[in-house]
Amino acid sequence: MSVYSFSEGSSVAKALGQYVKSKYDTAMAKHGRFTLALSGGSLPKVLAEGLSQQKDNIDFSKWEIFFADERIVPLEDENSNYALCKEVLFDVLPGFVPEQIHTIDTKFLKQNPLDSQAVADEYEKQLVHVFANASTVKVPVFDLMLLGCGPDGHTCSLFPDHELLDEDVAWVAPITDSPKPPKERITLTIPVVTHALSVAFVTTGAAKQDILPVVIEDTTSKLPSALISRAHPDRISWFLDDDASAKLDKSVLRVFPFQ
Ligand SMILES: O=C1O[C@H](COP(=O)(O)O)[C@@H](O)[C@H](O)[C@H]1O
């Protein structure tokens, strides 16, 4: 696992932009497209800042984008992870192809009661379609997952002690009792996240400093971020600022290779 800490948010953004560009280059050389899962929360703004410095060397029309998790709300709702990414990324940087940005199907929102399982199943079908020609059909293999880590150690919409942590069949699962609102969401499951070729957690701010030693240093932790981090440590990078990393043992920190 590579854990990087930077003195300020702008340095986290710059490094993340360089890291994503290198993963994009690798994917393009390998199969001519870049499959990526994005999170909501604090991630999209940091990512947008980093990518704005790389945009002249990236063809965003080659990006095939899913959401690591999504709230079951209209796409224009302020709680929608898509809406957030659209505002800071898709509407700002040039070249994204709308058909390659995979949103939940909002036709299910008209149903009463809401069938969140149907939302998850439909989203899984989109994954099946996009990854159908890839070498694996058992589990989609994303080039990159960009994740957050909440102050409770949750990531995607995988929350501590939740039964979804044991899901080992579905690629996409619904959650109807999310402890963080809104309650109804879908999430990629742990098998999908841990099969990605690279996973980056992006986490900043003092509110995260108590949970990070548990997630990163405690090898017995069952927190969702820890389970993912430990599954394939060689594929995992953490991008932190010094506020977030303040309580980590300094021996876990690495020097960011692109500087
Ligand atoms: O609810 C969510 O929270 C996590 C963490 O958000 P952050 O603001 O603490 O970075 C986020 O990764 C996820 O996509 C989102 O739905």
Side-chain angles (χ1 to χ4, degrees):
M1 179 185 331
S2 302
V3 185
Y4 309 115
S5 184
F6 303 88
S7 57
E8 54 198 0
S10 59
S11 308
V12 178
K14 181 180 174 194
L16 182 65
Q18 292 170 325
Y19 169 89
V20 174
K21 167 73 165 60
S22 82
K23 300 298 173 190
Y24 159 83
D25 286 341
T26 303
M28 289 300 290
K30 206 165 96 188
H31 45 222
R33 69 173 181 174
F34 184 43
T35 54
L36 177 77
L38 294 179
S39 296
S42 54
L43 171 88
K45 270 193 190 149
V46 184
L47 177 64
E49 186 182 337
L51 288 179
S52 68
Q53 298 166 34
Q54 301 290 336
K55 68 178 188 303
D56 295 341
N57 298 313
I58 293 179
D59 179 357
F60 291 105
S61 76
K62 302 293 184 192
W63 287 33
E64 194 78 53
I65 299 169
F66 284 84
F67 292 89
D69 70 316
E70 182 57 289
R71 292 91 179 272
I72 307 182
V73 294
L75 295 181
E76 56 285 353
D77 191 286
E78 61 176 4
N79 283 306
S80 160
N81 286 342
Y82 164 76
L84 181 57
C85 290
K86 180 174 186 300
E87 183 189 341
V88 300
L89 266 178
F90 310 143
D91 286 352
V92 176
L93 298 174
F96 289 104
V97 178
E99 294 74 24
Q100 292 167 203
I101 300 172
H102 297 273
T103 62
I104 56 168
D105 187 337
T106 53
K107 76 172 180 243
F108 297 106
L109 292 168
K110 296 179 194 128
Q111 293 175 341
N112 190 12
L114 177 68
D115 186 351
S116 49
Q117 181 67 59
V119 181
D121 290 347
E122 193 283 333
Y123 204 65
E124 186 168 301
K125 278 189 189 138
Q126 295 190 49
L127 274 174
V128 171
H129 182 72
V130 166
F131 286 90
N133 296 326
S135 54
T136 174
V137 285
K138 283 191 178 157
V139 182
V141 177
F142 278 87
D143 293 310
L144 178 62
M145 297 253 165
L146 292 176
L147 306 181
C149 173
D152 57 352
H154 86 270
T155 190
C156 308
S157 284
L158 298 164
F159 289 89
D161 299 321
H162 197 279
E163 62 190 18
L164 274 188
L165 299 182
D166 297 323
E167 177 59 62
D168 57 3
V169 176
W171 294 358
V172 183
I175 170 167
T176 56
D177 57 355
S178 165
K180 179 179 174 184
K183 278 184 178 313
E184 308 252 12
R185 300 157 168 239
I186 61 162
T187 184
L188 299 184
T189 57
I190 286 185
V192 177
V193 178
T194 56
H195 272 77
L197 295 180
S198 301
V199 178
F201 288 91
V202 182
T203 309
T204 58
K208 310 288 174 70
Q209 62 183 220
D210 286 327
I211 203 70
L212 286 174
V214 184
V215 171
I216 293 174
E217 293 171 4
D218 178 356
T219 55
T220 63
S221 172
K222 299 274 191 295
L223 291 174
S225 302
L227 294 174
I228 290 167
S229 232
R230 279 206 309 272
H232 297 287
D234 52 317
R235 303 181 193 171
I236 304 288
S237 300
W238 283 85
F239 290 81
L240 311 173
D241 67 358
D242 290 348
D243 285 338
S245 70
K247 294 187 179 170
L248 283 177
D249 190 314
K250 298 302 167 251
S251 66
V252 303
L253 301 179
R254 299 279 169 273
V255 176
F256 186 62
F258 296 91
Q259 287 173 344

